[in-house]
Amino acid sequence: FGQGAQIGRDQLEELEEALIQADVGMDYTVRIVEELGQVLGRQRAWTQEDIRGFLTAIIARAVGVGGRRRGMLSLLEGDAGGGSRQGKGTEVVLVVGVNGTGKTTTIGKLAHRFRKRGLRVLLAAGDTYRAAAEEQLEIWAERSGSLYHRGSEGADPASVVHDALSIALSGSVDVALVDTAGRLHTKEPLMRELAKIMKVASRVVEGAPHEVVLVLDATTGQNALVQARTFLETVGVTAVILTKMDGTAKGGILIPIAGELGLPISYVGLGEGLDDLVPFDPQAYAEALIG
Amino acid sequence: SLAEKLDGIFKRLKNRGRLTEKDIDATLREVKLALLEADVNFKAVKDFVSRIRVKSLGEEVLQSLTPAQQVIKIVNGELIQLLGGSRADLNRSPVPPTRILLVGLQGSGKTTTAAKLALLLKDNGQSPFLVPADMSRPAAVKQLLTVAAKAGVPAHSPTPGSSPAEIYRKAALEAGRSGSDTLIIDTAGRLHVDEELMDEASSLAAMVNPHDTLLVADAMTGQDAVRVAEAFHSRISLTGIIMTKLDGDARGGAALSMRSVTGVPIKFVGTGEALDGLEPFHPDRMASRILG
Ligand SMILES: Nc1nc2c(ncn2[C@@H]2O[C@H](COP(=O)(O)OP(=O)(O)OP(=O)(O)O)[C@@H](O)[C@H]2O)c(=O)[nH]1
Ligand SMILES: Nc1nc2c(ncn2[C@@H]2O[C@H](COP(=O)(O)OP(=O)(O)OP(=O)(O)O)[C@@H](O)[C@H]2O)c(=O)[nH]1
Ligand SMILES: [Mg+2]
Ligand SMILES: [Mg+2]
């Protein structure tokens, strides 16, 4: 470190430790600390506040590398340059991820957000496998004032999605949120099933699915990067939602995910209720991460 | 793999004659990286490395023709010991019913595990009874009743609007009448930092007085695992951990962190979504998985 930099070896170790404990991982922790070193290396005495400011800026930029929201999600949040999709038929949002990350609950929250904008929403019960998955989604449809479609007993997920999207088109639904069963990315037949669901969707609605949202759990460690890589490779992911950030996990894994995969992070889940979803804010994220 | 990395390091060092302390530190850095990559908690890694450092500076390593193998042997042995050398079984009450309480973060696999555990006990000749005490998650009760039916195990049907304590009391009576010898209570997922819900869990545990209070934890949990385990253990006195979703490729370092920090043994592992996906915990298998 350059002369006059107010950051000693101990402080550097503390910083490394904080980033590792936030699940940033060794690789990106080293990159961040090196970048900070370069910034501080100029001949000047920095205050603690300066160092914090630089670090927050580095982290905010690192996690925002994939951009934020696009398409309908960007439209929903009224992002600058979000464009307009209304009146262009049904937007299809497919929600995917490993078991228990919060997909079904997040769909309820997203539906609520779309509904608040006066849009017609349909929830498609694409999880035909797990016990009471359809009933769980139906309750979220009721809570958010959304239409709901489920298949008959033991129906194939692809056929449920086919029927749901056909209904959405004929019913002038603005957004169709498609729930899928949790699946470990290591299970090839399940990943193939997902690809099949996507193919069927594209046959019913042109360009569907317009968004493939990967739901990740903030308490997950390095495996979240493997999940993101695999889902991106096999089905293509267009946005990430990180849930359970109301716990003590800091979600540092978003930094390697953004850096390596260039994925936009659209929302963060902060609880179990309808309103517990906020648009992702890199600055707020960075400040919370360094604590 | 770690073995290959250590081999590479030692091969480079061999040409310089006898191994030094500095050489061993280079290999310990690789061990540290491997454990962090496996999601073992940072502090747990520090403690672990200092423990094996002493052993790695012994003559068996320094004089060995295959020092990499010696270090791996030390690391593996230490991991197995820390993960819980001996088998940890469920506690059984001499006077039925045995009571098992499942707690944990949202989505960790409690409801599924409750049914798996019931099936395991049933196949073992016991007569378990499932208690759905989660009244907050949409369709949680239906989920448990569905998997209970699948497991062929009786379950209590709670009255809408009742509290977990009320549900338990009624269920215990019902189970007693039906001659069940084990009560398995599924609870709502909760954050360890949610005061109200942690109080609720604590009072439920006080009332149930379980023979086993098991933390159901996701194998892919990262650095936060320690905080979660410590919080649950200090509020609700755990007797065991069940690590779920080990059928994935998460290294499972959280197992080491939780066990070494709380001293609570890992009793079972979840190895799939189906009801037969529950196995007893094997420290040696977990050790080699963590090392990658
Ligand atoms: N605290 C907290 N809990 C959440 C959040 N999002 C979801 N949950 C909870 O996490 C648990 C799992 O949520 P689900 O929506 O069932 O997750 P899922 O991904 O659909 O699960 P599977 O379909 O079984 O794979 C539930 O108890 C939710 O209430 C969040 O942002 N914060
Ligand atoms: N692959 C795999 N999936 C599992 C395992 N255990 C549970 N699951 C899945 O994980 C998801 C969450 O399981 P639940 O039983 O609903 O979890 P929970 O802890 O009861 O969730 P909450 O009640 O919301 O806190 C479901 O999709 C389960 O099928 C396991 O060992 N392997
Ligand atoms: Mg779901
Ligand atoms: Mg549950």
Side-chain angles (χ1 to χ4, degrees):
Chain A
F1 281 65
Q3 266 201 41
Q6 297 281 9
I7 185 159
R9 186 161 182 76
D10 287 345
Q11 207 180 346
L12 214 66
E13 272 192 34
E14 267 180 43
L15 175 57
E16 269 198 10
E17 193 168 320
L19 293 174
I20 298 274
Q21 303 229 60
D23 290 313
V24 172
M26 192 48 112
D27 183 10
Y28 277 76
T29 292
V30 169
R31 290 180 198 221
I32 288 170
V33 172
E34 281 180 357
E35 187 171 346
L36 182 67
Q38 285 171 9
V39 169
L40 296 183
R42 303 181 210 133
Q43 308 284 301
R44 237 196 79 178
W46 302 109
T47 63
Q48 286 305 321
E49 209 177 302
D50 289 332
I51 295 171
R52 250 188 101 77
F54 286 131
L55 184 57
T56 310
I58 290 167
I59 290 172
R61 189 161 28 82
V63 82
V65 149
R68 235 186 292 173
R69 292 165 292 276
R70 37 151 272 188
M72 192 55 146
L73 299 180
S74 168
L75 178 67
L76 177 66
E77 299 309 323
D79 293 339
S84 166
R85 233 202 93 85
Q86 257 176 304
K88 283 191 186 159
T90 306
E91 174 89 357
V92 179
V93 179
L94 185 71
V95 179
V96 303
V98 306
N99 308 71
T101 57
K103 299 175 291 302
T104 306
T105 308
T106 299
I107 284 174
K109 296 172 184 178
L110 277 173
H112 178 60
R113 246 180 139 74
F114 283 118
R115 291 288 301 134
K116 281 205 287 193
R117 289 256 179 168
L119 298 170
R120 273 170 74 75
V121 179
L122 180 139
L123 305 190
D127 180 356
T128 60
Y129 173 72
R130 206 211 67 212
E134 289 123 325
E135 287 83 349
Q136 184 188 6
L137 186 68
E138 186 167 20
I139 290 169
W140 285 109
E142 287 164 18
R143 287 180 180 181
S144 60
S146 306
L147 297 167
Y148 170 75
H149 176 77
R150 67 172 286 175
S152 47
E153 181 71 45
D156 169 60
S159 70
V160 173
V161 173
H162 175 276
D163 296 347
L165 294 187
S166 310
I167 289 167
L169 276 183
S170 58
S172 319
V173 161
D174 297 306
V175 188
L177 294 163
V178 182
D179 193 14
T180 63
R183 68 200 67 223
L184 294 182
H185 52 290
T186 48
K187 309 208 163 165
E188 290 186 24
L190 298 185
M191 296 306 281
R192 276 198 297 275
E193 175 188 80
L194 204 50
K196 179 163 172 243
I197 289 171
M198 292 175 66
K199 211 168 197 179
V200 164
S202 68
R203 291 204 193 114
V204 181
V205 181
E206 184 174 352
H210 305 96
E211 293 295 337
V212 177
V213 176
L214 174 65
V215 177
L216 298 172
D217 186 329
T219 66
T220 304
Q222 298 306 302
N223 197 250
L225 178 57
V226 184
Q227 292 170 25
R229 253 187 228 132
T230 313
F231 273 89
L232 178 62
E233 261 170 55
T234 46
V235 300
V237 172
T238 61
V240 166
I241 291 182
L242 189 70
T243 61
K244 308 179 197 174
M245 279 289 271
D246 45 323
T248 51
K250 300 270 174 79
I253 200 71
L254 287 184
I255 294 169
I257 287 174
E260 185 185 309
L261 308 175
L263 284 175
I265 297 138
S266 55
Y267 297 94
V268 167
L270 292 174
E272 303 188 67
L274 271 180
D275 281 305
D276 295 328
L277 190 73
V278 297
F280 181 65
D281 176 355
Q283 184 64 23
Y285 168 85
E287 286 171 6
L289 198 136
I290 58 177
Chain B
S1 73
L2 180 64
E4 291 164 348
K5 290 206 184 91
L6 295 192
D7 239 351
I9 291 178
F10 280 120
K11 278 202 174 66
R12 287 197 298 277
L13 300 175
K14 236 180 183 169
N15 310 325
R16 302 208 265 100
R18 186 188 159 83
L19 291 170
T20 65
E21 203 168 302
K22 207 158 162 284
D23 298 334
I24 295 300
D25 281 336
T27 66
L28 291 181
R29 182 156 199 284
E30 285 303 324
V31 173
K32 174 185 167 200
L33 289 177
L35 293 177
L36 285 178
E37 206 177 57
D39 290 322
V40 179
N41 179 267
F42 189 85
K43 294 203 172 71
V45 172
K46 259 186 170 171
D47 295 340
F48 184 85
V49 169
S50 56
R51 284 170 78 128
I52 63 170
R53 187 169 187 276
V54 176
K55 297 190 175 162
S56 306
L57 290 172
E59 288 310 303
E60 320 77 46
V61 178
L62 300 179
Q63 300 268 22
S64 172
L65 292 173
T66 56
Q69 282 186 27
Q70 288 303 318
V71 174
I72 291 282
K73 204 155 155 264
I74 291 167
V75 172
N76 210 44
E78 196 66 21
L79 269 180
I80 291 172
Q81 229 210 340
L82 282 177
L83 284 167
S86 59
R87 260 266 310 254
D89 291 325
L90 286 174
N91 300 319
R92 249 176 108 170
S93 175
V95 179
T98 294
R99 297 177 294 274
I100 302 172
L101 183 67
L102 300 183
V103 297
L105 295 179
Q106 290 88 348
S108 63
K110 298 173 292 302
T111 304
T112 310
T113 301
K116 288 179 181 178
L117 200 54
L119 182 62
L120 196 78
L121 296 181
K122 180 179 122 181
D123 289 348
N124 195 33
Q126 292 171 53
S127 54
F129 188 91
L130 282 164
V131 184
D134 178 359
M135 296 300 270
S136 48
R137 167 173 155 157
V141 171
K142 180 129 213 290
Q143 184 187 1
L144 184 59
L145 294 181
T146 304
V147 290
K150 232 176 173 175
V153 170
H156 173 69
S157 231
T159 317
S162 35
S163 70
E166 290 166 339
I167 293 169
Y168 170 70
R169 265 187 240 117
K170 282 196 183 157
L173 289 172
E174 186 182 348
R177 287 194 299 267
S178 70
S180 304
D181 63 14
T182 310
L183 284 163
I184 299 170
I185 304 133
D186 179 28
T187 64
R190 71 202 62 228
L191 293 178
H192 51 299
V193 288
D194 186 325
E195 283 304 316
E196 194 182 327
L197 287 186
M198 290 305 279
D199 282 343
E200 176 196 83
S202 171
S203 14
L204 184 65
M207 178 198 183
V208 172
N209 193 15
H211 302 90
D212 262 299
T213 303
L214 307 172
L215 176 69
V216 178
D218 201 317
M220 45 182 158
T221 309
Q223 294 288 312
D224 208 41
V226 163
R227 217 171 327 193
V228 175
E230 276 183 325
F232 272 89
H233 191 43
S234 71
R235 296 296 289 278
I236 316 172
S237 208
L238 306 170
T239 61
I241 294 168
I242 298 184
M243 197 113 233
T244 62
K245 307 178 202 171
L246 269 157
D247 44 318
D249 58 1
R251 298 266 288 278
L256 178 66
S257 312
M258 290 191 187
R259 160 71 181 172
S260 62
V261 164
T262 64
V264 176
I266 300 166
K267 299 202 174 184
F268 293 98
V269 292
T271 57
E273 289 192 73
L275 296 186
D276 60 356
L278 190 71
E279 301 172 13
F281 175 68
H282 293 282
D284 54 343
R285 287 187 210 166
M286 194 75 222
S288 51
R289 180 187 181 117
I290 288 174
L291 282 184

